[in-house]
Amino acid sequence: MRITALAGGVGGARFLRGLLTYLKQRHGAAPGSFAVTVIGNTADDITLHGLRVCPDLDTIMYTLGGGVHEGQGWGRADETFGVATELAAYGAQPDWFTLGDRDIATHLVRTQMLNLGYTLSQVTAALCDRWQPGVTLLPMSDDPVETHVVIDDETAEGGQKAIHFQEWWVRLHAKVPARRILAVGAEQAKPAPGVLDAIRDADVVLLPPSNPVVSIGTILGVPGVRDALRGTRAPVIGISPIVGGAPVRGMADACLTALGLETSAEAVAGLYADFLKGWLVDDSDAHLAGQSIAGAPIEVVARPLIMRDLAATADIAEGALDLARHLGE
Ligand code: FO1
């Protein structure tokens, strides 16, 4: 069974770990009877201290490779901050995004390979060769795409300025209203090698509970991706990141508000309505089950969606694959 997933950071990575657990332990699938390809968001990427940092690709790679800082969901376990401390002593900016010593090795290898002319796809494959995540991890594009956020700034021309997503997310904690969210470079970006085929040739396409705007949304913004999702014969099944009107984690509400959308499982499904076939919502949103959403023929199933532990997450993955099977019948 060929499964393709579009994923962002922490929520997506945690879901994928449950999916692999389900496939390995519950599905009784012998290795080789399933293959998972993950299309990772690269619009969170940022260049800091001369190093190219790819937070969502690294979160997936570390989480599935067993090296992630479990409590944070990003960065490395058993991390030290010797370099960050020295950078602070020099007053090196920015000081609001902390790179751990172990994590810096990843960025050094990536930056060195990029400078030698390797593509982000080639770099990601090389890094995953060490981590063995158990999936094929593809960047959404080898071209640079960066999410920038327009915020009010009375000292700036026209009273607004654009800052990098990470500054809005990490330094400002998304507490400053985003007037616009831009994926800079998206129009010129091409899907990375294998991305469109992974969608077209899949038996199932999954949208884990990642941020619908700055993670799934930016992947959808790469020209060709949305058309491939509309055209694939595979059932496209999503898992709502919004439970009972609130994001389970992260700040998807701030992003949805920036788009003028309510924070609800229904509003997120509406963003995917032109290709989504199935939508898992939490029991607290069971009122959505059995009815069409955003005027689209989307099968809605209610079930517990809180990924409280690996077994619960495996259950959610089972639910998504059961719905895919039901729709594929
Ligand atoms: N998030 C923070 O809130 N503070 C940090 O200092 C920080 C550093 C960091 C370093 C590497 C990395 O891969 C991720 C890091 N993140 C940090 C999380 C990052 O902002 C998020 O993982 C995603 O970009 C949002 O999905």
Side-chain angles (χ1 to χ4, degrees):
M1 175 169 49
R2 290 161 300 181
I3 299 171
T4 296
L6 280 60
V10 180
R14 287 208 169 127
F15 172 81
L16 291 167
R17 189 165 54 185
L19 172 68
L20 289 177
T21 299
Y22 169 71
L23 290 169
K24 285 176 195 156
Q25 292 176 357
R26 307 260 191 100
H27 197 47
S33 66
F34 65 87
V36 179
T37 300
V38 180
I39 299 166
N41 172 46
T42 60
D44 281 6
D45 297 2
I46 184 169
T47 298
L48 294 167
H49 312 297
L51 299 178
R52 192 66 180 163
V53 180
C54 300
D56 283 353
L57 295 179
D58 292 348
T59 281
I60 294 164
M61 183 175 74
Y62 290 157
T63 300
L64 301 184
V68 77
H69 181 298
E70 199 53 47
Q72 281 175 176
W74 51 265
R76 284 292 314 281
D78 310 322
E79 188 57 282
T80 55
F81 297 94
V83 174
T85 304
E86 292 302 307
L87 285 169
Y90 281 116
Q93 289 301 325
D95 58 2
W96 43 265
F97 195 90
T98 309
L99 295 176
D101 298 330
R102 294 175 185 272
D103 195 31
I104 285 171
T106 299
H107 312 314
L108 284 169
V109 169
R110 176 185 293 120
T111 305
Q112 186 180 41
M113 289 185 71
L114 289 172
N115 290 344
L116 287 170
Y118 289 98
T119 64
L120 184 57
S121 295
Q122 291 167 321
V123 172
T124 305
L127 295 172
C128 284
D129 197 36
R130 170 197 172 180
W131 286 102
Q132 296 295 311
V135 302
T136 300
L137 178 56
L138 304 176
M140 68 187 199
S141 175
D142 284 338
D143 303 313
V145 181
E146 282 191 4
T147 298
H148 286 230
V149 176
V150 175
I151 62 171
D152 297 338
D153 178 340
E154 67 281 350
T155 68
E157 174 76 19
Q160 289 188 335
K161 71 173 177 181
I163 58 175
H164 191 286
F165 164 77
Q166 293 294 352
E167 182 171 0
W168 182 66
W169 191 258
V170 174
R171 188 169 72 80
L172 301 176
H173 304 289
K175 290 285 182 282
V176 172
R179 299 302 180 205
R180 286 169 61 205
I181 296 180
L182 316 163
V184 177
E187 296 78 21
Q188 294 76 28
K190 292 179 297 306
V195 163
L196 297 185
D197 288 345
I199 295 171
R200 291 186 193 122
D201 300 343
D203 296 306
V204 182
V205 176
L206 297 176
L207 271 61
S210 290
N211 187 305
V213 179
V214 295
S215 292
I216 303 290
T218 41
I219 300 172
L220 297 177
V222 176
V225 169
R226 207 166 193 122
D227 289 343
L229 285 164
R230 287 195 191 118
T232 183
R233 58 177 184 72
V236 182
I237 311 294
I239 294 91
S240 177
I242 305 296
V243 166
V248 177
R249 179 190 169 96
M251 297 168 261
D253 45 345
C255 300
L256 288 163
T257 303
L259 268 58
L261 295 171
E262 63 174 16
T263 296
S264 69
E266 189 166 7
V268 175
L271 288 173
Y272 308 147
D274 54 319
F275 59 78
L276 194 68
K277 297 289 181 284
W279 188 235
L280 294 189
V281 301
D282 185 73
D283 287 334
S284 57
D285 296 302
H287 63 282
L288 295 172
Q291 67 175 14
S292 75
I293 273 192
I298 299 170
E299 178 99 5
V300 180
V301 169
R303 52 154 301 119
L305 283 194
I306 301 297
M307 300 190 285
R308 67 174 57 77
D309 56 25
L310 194 51
T313 310
D315 285 342
I316 298 168
E318 179 178 22
L321 292 180
D322 285 350
L323 180 51
R325 198 173 304 118
H326 166 65
L327 290 172
E329 278 157 2

